[in-house]
Amino acid sequence: MKFLRKHLLTSRIVWTLLILVISILGQDIIIPGIDPAVADAALSKQSFLQMLGITIGGELKIPTLLSLGLGPYMMGLIFWQALAALDFDWVNRLTINQTGYIQKIITLMLAILQAYQLVFYLKPALVPITVLDHSLPLLVSEIGAILILIAGAMLTVFLGNVNAEKGLGGISILILPGVLIGLPRALQAGWQDLNYPLTVPHLLTAGLVTLVVIILFVMLLQIELRIPLQRPLIEGNGSQSYLPFKLLVAGAMPFMFSSTLFLIPNELIESNGTLRASHLAKFIHLVTNQQTVAGIVGYGVIIMLLTYIFGFITIQPLRLSKQMKENNEYILNVFPGMATNDYLLKWFLVMATSGGLCLVVIAVIPLIIGLKWHGIANYTIYIGSIAILVTLIQGLWEQIRALYSKQQYQVFK
């Protein structure tokens, strides 16, 4: 233990590996009271759940202890960041502890909703639990499954918080195993109804595409606009700095949720017998079908909308302008107040639009090619998973470099 305390980087690596092992084992603990074969068949029909499972680090193919993964936490975090981006006074007055409690309550509420939704799809797979040769009602199996899923979701958040404190990669590192394990499935059956055989020539093609996408995303993540700032109350070199606006203002977040949002409307229509034969259903099926031109355009629109939404939540230009004023930071030749707000919002829109268009082009190229060779369309899902991996690994690598530099730093030799 003394060795781990002395070698901070090694200690954090050990903690992260331990937490990842616990997370992977939790994905294999099947919930009692559920027939796994029937559950697999029931959940496999819900295409959007399979795609969501890859992005949240959950197992939504067979219900397990940690099936919900980081889903409730991520949704809650997005909701809270959206509130913070609106710069409400009551939000700004909250302490760190109060903010933490509110986020946990939001996560718990979303875990309850998502657990109930998942068990709703699993009703055909519920079987009675036998205790002392007595079969309990199915309601017990249903309530038990919901409670176990909720507990698993909160356990995932706890593991993520422990990793953020003692490990590497923060809470988002728990997504990593699920994305890695889901890569072959994303390529082979990304859109469920399209098959891409994993033969040697296809795997070689996938390897080449992977290399190109990794290089491309690493480059795109490095591109940023630097807005010069002035600090009149500080003398010397510290009086000048810059405000960075990344080209990919939302990172890989649009890819994480675009496929799920793309499929949800059609899934809802199909589950409603009354709407299934309506003109609205035909229109929704057209614009949510990746094998039509309208569907490809619709998918691109979703990515652009998610880029603006997640980018605004991440950068929070209105709140940033207020913080600059409080810190006595100014943009050269731009007045403080509304002029600064408008200036930051303008450049946010420029960078978000440029970065969003880059993501759209990357995402729709396989879909366009897939109009002729249908299996190629699966590369859109596959590339999205690679983008998430690159973003996670880049953040992990930057943290490792910082810790290594800190460990090697010596004032006196």
Side-chain angles (χ1 to χ4, degrees):
M1 295 300 293
K2 184 183 291 186
F3 175 83
L4 292 178
R5 284 196 297 267
K6 184 177 179 182
H7 297 81
L8 181 59
L9 179 57
T10 305
S11 172
R12 287 184 174 272
I13 292 174
V14 171
W15 270 105
T16 298
L17 291 176
L18 176 62
I19 289 170
L20 288 177
V21 168
I22 295 173
S23 177
I24 293 171
L25 291 175
Q27 299 284 2
D28 292 331
I29 301 176
I30 299 176
I31 296 176
I34 291 177
D35 186 326
V38 179
D40 186 12
L43 292 179
S44 295
K45 297 177 182 178
Q46 309 298 329
S47 303
F48 74 97
L49 284 180
Q50 306 308 312
M51 294 185 181
L52 181 62
I54 294 175
T55 58
I56 64 175
E59 174 54 72
L60 297 179
K61 192 174 182 183
I62 298 177
T64 65
L65 173 62
L66 303 183
S67 271
L68 295 184
L70 286 176
Y73 170 81
M74 293 173 65
M75 299 296 182
L77 183 62
I78 291 170
F79 174 77
W80 184 254
Q81 287 181 336
L83 275 179
L86 297 175
D87 200 27
F88 291 123
D89 288 336
W90 67 271
V91 174
N92 296 332
R93 287 195 299 266
L94 293 174
T95 64
I96 295 177
N97 288 337
Q98 290 174 328
T99 300
Y101 286 131
I102 293 175
Q103 289 180 347
K104 286 183 176 64
I105 292 172
I106 295 173
T107 300
L108 178 60
M109 293 173 61
L110 290 173
I112 294 171
L113 292 174
Q114 291 185 20
Y116 177 80
Q117 179 191 26
L118 187 59
V119 173
F120 174 80
Y121 290 121
L122 290 171
K123 280 191 175 181
L126 294 174
V127 295
I129 297 176
T130 303
V131 178
L132 299 176
D133 296 330
H134 292 284
S135 295
L136 301 178
L138 282 179
L139 181 61
V140 175
S141 299
E142 183 176 350
I143 295 175
I146 292 174
L147 292 176
I148 291 173
L149 287 170
I150 295 170
M154 301 312 292
L155 175 60
T156 303
V157 175
F158 171 76
L159 292 174
N161 288 332
V162 172
N163 187 68
E165 180 183 350
K166 300 183 178 182
L168 294 169
I171 195 169
S172 59
I173 198 67
L174 295 179
I175 300 174
L176 193 60
V179 176
L180 284 171
I181 294 171
L183 280 177
R185 187 173 64 191
L187 182 60
Q188 188 175 21
W191 291 104
Q192 301 296 312
D193 54 345
L194 303 175
N195 183 56
Y196 183 83
L198 300 182
T199 60
V200 174
H202 289 91
L203 289 175
L204 290 175
T205 303
L208 179 61
V209 171
T210 302
L211 181 61
V212 172
V213 170
I214 290 174
I215 294 173
L216 182 59
F217 265 93
V218 169
M219 293 173 59
L220 289 175
L221 287 170
Q222 302 303 317
I223 300 175
E224 65 181 20
L225 170 70
R226 296 181 175 182
I227 300 175
L229 296 180
Q230 300 292 322
R231 298 175 177 175
L233 301 181
I234 299 178
E235 298 181 356
N237 294 331
S239 63
Q240 295 182 352
S241 62
Y242 63 86
L243 182 66
F245 273 20
K246 293 283 189 180
L247 176 65
L248 300 184
V249 291
M253 293 291 283
F255 273 134
M256 293 181 73
F257 296 98
S258 58
S259 301
T260 304
L261 289 178
F262 184 69
L263 294 176
I264 282 179
N266 194 50
E267 297 283 353
L268 295 176
I269 291 294
E270 289 297 321
S271 63
N272 190 307
T274 305
L275 293 175
R276 198 179 303 164
S278 65
H279 293 292
L280 176 63
K282 294 179 181 179
F283 173 76
I284 290 178
H285 181 70
L286 180 67
V287 298
T288 58
N289 185 349
Q290 74 282 354
Q291 300 179 62
T292 65
V293 175
I296 294 174
V297 173
Y299 189 75
V301 170
I302 288 176
I303 289 182
M304 286 300 300
L305 288 176
L306 290 177
T307 299
Y308 288 126
I309 293 171
F310 287 129
F312 188 84
I313 291 174
T314 302
I315 292 181
Q316 302 182 20
L318 302 180
R319 192 173 187 180
L320 188 61
S321 173
K322 184 177 179 181
Q323 290 175 347
M324 286 175 55
K325 184 177 181 181
E326 293 173 352
N327 297 331
N328 291 313
E329 296 175 334
Y330 305 97
I331 300 172
L332 193 63
N333 298 325
V334 179
F335 288 104
M338 289 304 301
T340 300
N341 282 343
D342 296 341
Y343 186 85
L344 293 177
L345 191 58
K346 179 191 74 172
W347 283 111
F348 162 75
L349 292 174
V350 169
M351 299 303 287
T353 303
S354 303
L357 289 174
C358 290
L359 295 181
V360 169
V361 170
I362 294 171
V364 303
I365 285 178
L367 294 178
I368 294 173
I369 299 175
L371 293 176
K372 184 172 180 61
W373 296 287
H374 290 176
I376 302 298
N378 289 341
Y379 271 101
T380 294
I381 310 299
Y382 179 76
I383 289 173
S385 298
I386 295 296
I388 296 170
L389 278 177
V390 171
T391 305
L392 290 174
I393 293 174
Q394 186 187 49
L396 182 64
W397 177 245
E398 289 177 354
Q399 190 176 358
I400 291 174
R401 285 181 58 188
L403 287 171
Y404 180 79
S405 300
K406 179 181 178 181
Q407 189 170 292
Q408 297 299 313
Y409 180 77
Q410 295 180 1
V411 179
F412 301 103
K413 294 186 178 180

